[in-house]
Amino acid sequence: MTAILALFGIGARTPGEHEVREALTCRARTTDKLIQVHSEPGATIGLATNATDSTHGAFGNGAIAVDDDYIVVADATLYYVPDLIRKLGRAVVPTASPSQLVLAAFRAFGTACTDHLEGDFAFVVWDRHAHRVHCGRDFTGRRPLFLAEWARGLIVATSLDLIASLPGFNPRVNNTAVGADAAGLLFSLDDETCMRGVRSLRAGYAAQWAPGETLRTERVWNPAPLNTSPLAFDDAAEQLRELLANAVRERRSATAPTAVWMSGGRDSTAVFGAGMYSRHRDSTDHPLIPISRSHPPGDSGRENEAIDHIARFWQVQPHWVDAESIPMFPGFRNRGTWSAEPFAQPFEGLTRALASAGRQLGSPVALDGYGGDFLFQVSRIYLADLVARGKVRRAIRDWRAMDGAGEGLRGFFCYGVQPNLPRWATRAIATARGGRPLRESMERTPPPWIAPRFILEHGLRDRFESLGPASQIGSSTAERETRFYLSHQFFARVNSKMAG
């Protein structure tokens, strides 16, 4: 990944080119760094990228793109590039770097350029004449971007560490964000960070800033149901298979094997199966390598048998990472550097082990099943839709079939009735229960060592109400829950940690 640190409109006594270069040298989390810094009146833009990535010349995917009107820096991997070039209708070479492609798209489409970019991206555009900054980030949030208004200017960076390392910047703790993370109230935070005055650019959002103006952000990617002509089940399955096969083919390595981090669930196995189906049609494609974590017999996470079965079907050999041999906190006591961000990806150790295994097998690319749950999973919340449509008997029958934990009527009320109640009704019930609120779908229960007073003072439950599934727009509870999965910033935080 490319590290970006950019300063705009900040006075002469505050950090400049030397300080940006120093921060990137010390804090950028790439092992073999190449540093590039461009400075001109009103803007200092720097990046650090991995020297081993020679896909696009010396600076790999991260070279700064400059023309007479704009400066662009991007941390990005873009897909369907020939389609994008055809849209642009101008002289863009197929080997253009992501920054050059973003520059061409911004020149052609302006601030709507994110509608035409497909991939994992976070970018910064500096308008050299209007002295205006435009930032964009894709909806999955695999590439982070942080924003801080400071010294009457703007800082844009791909990590909190880079911002904190700037001379004169005094990072102060945001107790609300740190406390919410510590309490595991993962869905009570939006774009806040652990540093006061520093916010994340939300995934699927764009930002604009100019000297003398307040930083503005707006959603530019909106998940919406797509109404199409009805298809027979088999026809729909075939269409979905083609979409998946094309997507895998676009993302796999063109020069080496591609790893698939595979569980026994439907999402990553569908990615692997679609890739193998595509490869059978074109034997020139490099192989797909299934890499999975192995759990001992009896472990609730064990999916070895399902993965073995799939591998045998495709006549390949899976590669295993022993989950028991991976420490939960590797190098915790002897860490040389610490992140400024307290949020931890709970499967970081396993993810690093999977990545390491793929690299050892010669794979520079890893595919996963991200999106499968969000797009195709419907939780028990669908029972509320059945009740709302008057299909109460079917809802009760379905609930009895799935109530393996013996939750009974209480569980049916939680999933089938409560989501249909207006807010005033749930608050009235809470009052009748002596102030104990009803727990909503996806709401986390804080641990007993977090003081209730802290949760109340910082409004963490009210924050969840404004950000959770019930607050989303949609014609059904299932649609609102899916929109929540696709738009809540917690999932972007997980994605950026995993990609990092």
Side-chain angles (χ1 to χ4, degrees), residues 373-374 376-389 391 395 398-399 402 407 411-421 439-443 464 468-471 475-485:
D373 287 347
F374 299 171
F376 301 110
Q377 168 185 283
V378 177
S379 75
R380 296 174 177 181
I381 203 77
Y382 85 94
L383 295 171
D385 292 331
L386 291 177
V387 172
R389 296 201 301 269
K391 298 182 179 181
D398 283 8
W399 171 246
M402 68 177 69
E407 297 178 72
F412 181 76
F413 176 84
C414 176
Y415 296 109
V417 178
Q418 183 181 330
N420 291 317
L421 298 177
R439 193 165 68 89
E440 295 186 25
S441 171
M442 304 299 295
E443 185 175 4
F464 172 79
S471 68
S475 59
S476 68
T477 55
E479 183 184 331
R480 290 191 288 273
E481 183 180 90
T482 299
R483 188 182 292 269
F484 165 79
Y485 279 135

Side-chain angles (χ1 to χ4, degrees), residues 171-199:
R172 294 175 297 163
V173 173
N174 177 354
N175 288 332
T176 301
V178 175
D181 277 341
L185 300 178
L186 310 173
F187 304 128
S188 295
L189 296 177
D190 189 14
D191 61 346
E192 304 105 312
T193 72
C194 64
M195 290 184 189
R196 291 169 61 184
V198 182
R199 291 184 172 268

Side-chain angles (χ1 to χ4, degrees), residues 94 182 392:
V392 179

Side-chain angles (χ1 to χ4, degrees), residues 145-407:
L145 208 61
F146 297 96
L147 309 169
E149 293 182 278
W150 179 57
R152 288 182 287 188
L154 179 72
I155 307 172
V156 184
T158 49
S159 77
L160 295 176
D161 301 285
L162 289 168
I163 297 176
S165 66
L166 288 172
F169 186 87
N170 180 27
R172 294 175 297 163
V173 173
N174 177 354
N175 288 332
T176 301
V178 175
D181 277 341
L185 300 178
L186 310 173
F187 304 128
S188 295
L189 296 177
D190 189 14
D191 61 346
E192 304 105 312
T193 72
C194 64
M195 290 184 189
R196 291 169 61 184
V198 182
R199 291 184 172 268
S200 171
L201 177 61
R202 300 175 182 94
Y205 274 68
Q208 292 196 53
W209 177 90
E213 297 182 9
T214 302
L215 177 68
R216 294 185 295 110
T217 65
E218 62 175 339
R219 176 172 287 283
V220 293
W221 182 84
N222 291 287
L226 180 65
N227 294 317
T228 61
S229 58
L231 289 173
F233 184 88
D234 289 345
D235 294 336
E238 185 174 338
Q239 186 179 90
L240 176 59
R241 181 179 64 180
E242 292 299 323
L243 284 169
L244 283 174
N246 290 336
V248 173
R249 181 164 189 150
E250 181 67 22
R251 288 157 176 78
R252 66 193 304 164
S253 172
T255 58
T258 295
V260 180
W261 295 348
M262 201 162 77
S263 69
R266 294 178 178 88
D267 41 19
S268 58
T269 52
V271 169
F272 178 72
M276 293 299 291
Y277 162 77
S278 172
R279 187 167 184 266
H280 276 216
R281 294 189 301 181
D282 187 350
S283 59
T284 61
D285 286 346
H286 289 269
L288 290 178
I289 304 173
I291 302 178
S292 304
R293 62 179 191 262
S294 174
H295 292 267
D299 191 293
S300 61
R302 182 177 174 87
E303 297 173 320
N304 297 41
E305 288 74 20
I307 295 165
D308 269 329
H309 186 81
I310 294 165
R312 284 197 303 272
F313 176 85
W314 290 107
Q315 299 179 352
V316 296
Q317 182 67 37
H319 297 267
W320 298 101
V321 171
D322 183 7
E324 285 195 307
S325 68
I326 302 167
M328 183 172 288
F329 302 111
F332 187 76
R333 293 185 180 275
N334 301 312
R335 246 179 220 183
T337 58
W338 289 84
S339 171
E341 188 175 4
F343 177 73
Q345 214 278 16
F347 300 108
E348 179 180 342
L350 282 169
T351 303
R352 288 186 180 277
L354 292 170
S356 178
R359 291 293 293 267
Q360 291 172 16
L361 293 167
S363 172
V365 174
L367 304 180
D368 59 31
Y370 174 77
D373 287 347
F374 299 171
L375 292 172
F376 301 110
Q377 168 185 283
V378 177
S379 75
R380 296 174 177 181
I381 203 77
Y382 85 94
L383 295 171
D385 292 331
L386 291 177
V387 172
R389 296 201 301 269
K391 298 182 179 181
V392 179
R393 287 186 178 180
R394 179 184 164 186
I396 293 174
R397 186 173 65 248
D398 283 8
W399 171 246
R400 285 173 176 167
M402 68 177 69
D403 185 19
E407 297 178 72

Side-chain angles (χ1 to χ4, degrees), residues 78 80-89 101 105 109 116-117:
L78 299 180
Y80 307 103
V81 171
D83 294 340
L84 175 61
I85 292 175
R86 280 193 294 272
K87 278 185 183 180
L88 293 172
L101 289 169
F109 306 115
H116 304 274
L117 300 174

Side-chain angles (χ1 to χ4, degrees), residues 57-75:
F59 279 92
N61 288 347
I64 298 175
V66 182
D67 69 5
D68 292 340
D69 301 312
Y70 304 108
I71 302 172
V72 175
V73 61
D75 178 20

